[in-house]
Amino acid sequence: MSDTFVVVGGDAAGMSAASKAKRENPELDVVVFEKGEWVSYAACGMPYYVKGEVEDLEDLVAVTPEEFREERDIDLRTGHEVVGVDPGAGTVTVEGEGETFEQPYDHLLVATGATAVEPPFDGLDLDGVFTIHDMDEAGAIEDYVTERSPDTAAVVGGGYVGIEMAEALSARGADVHLYEMLPHVLQPFGDAVAEVVEEHLRAQGVHLHLDTAVSGFDGEGSVERVGFEGESRPADIAVVGVGVAPNTQLAADAGIELGETGAIATDEYGRTNYGNVYAAGDCAEARNVVTGEPDHVPLALTANRAGRAIGQTVAGDPEPVGGTAGTAIVKAFDLGAARTGVVDEQRAREAGFDPVSVSISAPTRAHYYPGGAELTVTLVADGESGRLLGGTVVGREGTKRVDTVATALAAGMTVSELQKADLAYAPPFSPVRDPILTAANVLEGKLDGE
């Protein structure tokens, strides 16, 4: 009799694990329970669907449920919610299609993802007030915009989702007001990035309300106004994007331990405190490659990679899930902004480092070659060891250069080692000394006291 691998959750981590496990061990019975109808979809593409750059919502689906069932031989059951886990008995309790039943497992992966945070705002239940974290929400926003053609939009939150939705709603003809309770948008990217992005957002017609805490929404049935600090402004649609929280209740109720971040605690193989129960994706912690401490980084690559590794482990060939540098990139109209590692100096100090940083601006191409742009690069290093801790990049082109910094972090490189890296050069792509190398050279000089 073959082992049974049960997966709870049908998106990035869950379906990567299921596919890898079945591919490595075809005799393994793989059963996936997904409470919704969508699986294996690109959540990061949803703002671009609302904007109109992605024609159909289904275009965001990487692999359909039918393909998983028929081509990959995975027992995928959509519309089935796991409502309980009994690690002692090795069973999950499932509700679906009008019945409740017990499903035994030999190995279990909890990949329940995360949920958009809903602050205690008045009027969250009004028509026209949305969060955007799943496909149904994206579809509902697009339908609303198409049907109502809103003149004014309120976007609450200046993170990835807020910036992307400001662009999307602006493209759909709305006058966009973005509200952020902190002093800057993209706060985790640092001031050097935020200030460039803010200037560009204003140039694109987005009204920024920084250091402004929203209190709620008002309207007769549908949203009409957004309230903040004793004032209010018109709003025909509102999108709240203030972060996500890991879905951990199922795990916690089963005695699966949570970590300090509030997400599910795991070891280097994605195992929980129960040896045959794993967790991955937006509900689980990962090890930060810079600090070595558990971190909660709800990003697509982290989820996919961890799921794939767990699938291989379950199939009989143990594979560590790997660490995370929190590498992220966001498009803000004509700008790109990216970050990786530890760029906040206070966080670096709390982790035991002595942070030293520099910010430089350099051209993305040779000065004589047309089409280039200025790229602002910030690098942070430990003053004692010279080890690279993190970096940010912002500009009209070349922001994927952050991947060079992310690679250096994964390798534990010092600033001196990074600035000696043999990066490619040709006038259409880079000056002789790439902006990342220029920043590393300047930072090395600062570390040396020059």
Side-chain angles (χ1 to χ4, degrees):
M1 185 175 178
S2 61
D3 281 357
T4 299
F5 178 31
V6 170
V7 177
V8 185
D11 200 14
M15 298 318 298
S16 293
S19 297
K20 181 64 173 177
K22 192 67 177 181
R23 185 163 56 249
E24 294 297 311
N25 183 0
E27 299 303 313
L28 190 66
D29 289 330
V30 179
V31 184
V32 180
F33 295 110
E34 165 56 47
K35 68 178 181 179
E37 298 301 324
W38 298 94
V39 300
S40 192
Y41 60 88
C44 296
M46 293 188 297
Y48 305 108
Y49 168 69
V50 175
K51 183 180 178 182
E53 290 185 331
V54 176
E55 185 174 352
D56 294 315
L57 195 57
E58 290 78 7
D59 291 341
L60 299 179
V61 176
V63 184
T64 67
E66 292 74 19
E67 289 171 328
F68 279 115
R69 295 173 185 133
E70 297 170 9
E71 298 177 12
R72 303 192 182 186
D73 195 25
I74 292 170
D75 184 2
L76 169 61
R77 306 186 202 178
T78 55
H80 285 70
E81 182 177 6
V82 174
V83 296
V85 178
D86 187 339
T91 61
V92 296
T93 302
V94 186
E95 293 180 353
E97 298 181 347
E99 64 173 343
T100 301
F101 61 92
E102 304 295 316
Q103 169 67 53
Y105 66 81
D106 297 289
H107 314 273
L108 175 67
L109 169 61
V110 178
T112 45
T115 302
V117 172
E118 294 188 354
F121 292 159
D122 294 330
L124 274 179
D125 58 345
L126 290 170
D127 286 346
V129 178
F130 301 94
T131 58
I132 179 168
H133 192 64
D134 64 37
M135 296 280 272
D136 291 332
E137 291 170 332
I141 294 173
E142 202 283 331
D143 288 345
Y144 196 88
V145 172
T146 298
E147 293 169 3
R148 305 288 187 98
S149 298
D151 293 325
T152 304
V155 175
V156 182
Y160 312 118
V161 170
I163 298 294
E164 291 166 350
M165 288 305 300
E167 178 181 340
L169 293 172
S170 178
R172 298 296 296 270
D175 185 35
V176 177
H177 289 253
L178 189 151
Y179 299 86
E180 170 54 60
M181 66 182 298
L182 298 175
H184 289 291
V185 302
L186 297 176
Q187 194 78 26
F189 288 62
D191 291 352
V193 170
E195 289 167 2
V196 174
V197 172
E198 287 164 3
E199 181 181 357
H200 185 64
L201 290 174
R202 291 187 179 104
Q204 296 296 320
V206 176
H207 308 278
L208 297 183
H209 305 273
L210 306 177
D211 268 325
T212 301
V214 167
S215 57
F217 309 98
D218 190 28
E220 295 295 328
S222 299
V223 63
E224 297 173 7
R225 303 190 69 83
V226 55
F228 56 95
E229 300 176 354
E231 301 181 43
S232 70
R233 289 182 183 273
D236 302 313
I237 185 173
V239 177
V240 179
V242 295
V244 299
N247 292 326
T248 58
Q249 193 62 54
L250 180 72
D253 289 346
I256 297 171
E257 293 179 358
L258 307 185
E260 293 183 3
T261 69
I264 300 171
T266 61
D267 69 6
E268 64 177 321
Y269 292 96
R271 291 181 297 228
T272 68
N273 52 306
Y274 294 97
N276 64 338
V277 178
Y278 303 79
D282 292 358
C283 66
E285 292 184 335
R287 182 185 59 83
N288 188 291
V289 299
V290 177
T291 67
E293 297 299 318
D295 203 353
H296 179 233
V297 184
L299 295 171
L301 180 59
T302 305
N304 273 280
R305 187 174 54 203
R308 179 182 172 87
I310 289 168
Q312 182 170 323
T313 296
V314 168
D317 183 14
E319 174 70 18
V321 297
T324 178
T327 308
I329 189 167
V330 61
K331 180 178 180 294
F333 291 88
D334 299 324
L335 281 182
R339 55 148 293 159
T340 188
V342 177
V343 296
D344 179 77
E345 294 193 5
Q346 180 59 36
R347 184 184 178 194
R349 292 188 188 95
E350 292 171 355
F353 298 111
D354 175 24
V356 178
S357 65
V358 298
S359 292
I360 63 99
S361 291
T364 57
R365 309 182 190 187
H367 71 276
Y368 53 83
Y369 194 90
E374 287 291 299
L375 194 68
T376 299
V377 180
T378 299
L379 294 180
V380 183
D382 177 36
E384 182 175 346
S385 66
R387 179 186 171 192
L388 188 67
L389 301 181
T392 63
V393 179
V394 62
R396 289 179 178 266
E397 72 165 19
T399 45
K400 275 286 282 179
R401 281 177 163 93
V402 76
D403 291 342
T404 301
V405 183
T407 301
L409 293 176
M413 293 172 66
T414 64
V415 174
S416 177
E417 289 169 334
L418 174 60
Q419 75 95 12
K420 294 181 178 68
D422 186 17
L423 303 187
Y425 158 66
F429 306 106
S430 172
V432 173
R433 183 174 287 272
D434 187 88
I436 297 296
L437 299 182
T438 298
N441 188 53
V442 174
L443 182 53
E444 183 178 31
K446 188 173 182 178
L447 291 169
D448 291 341
E450 297 178 4

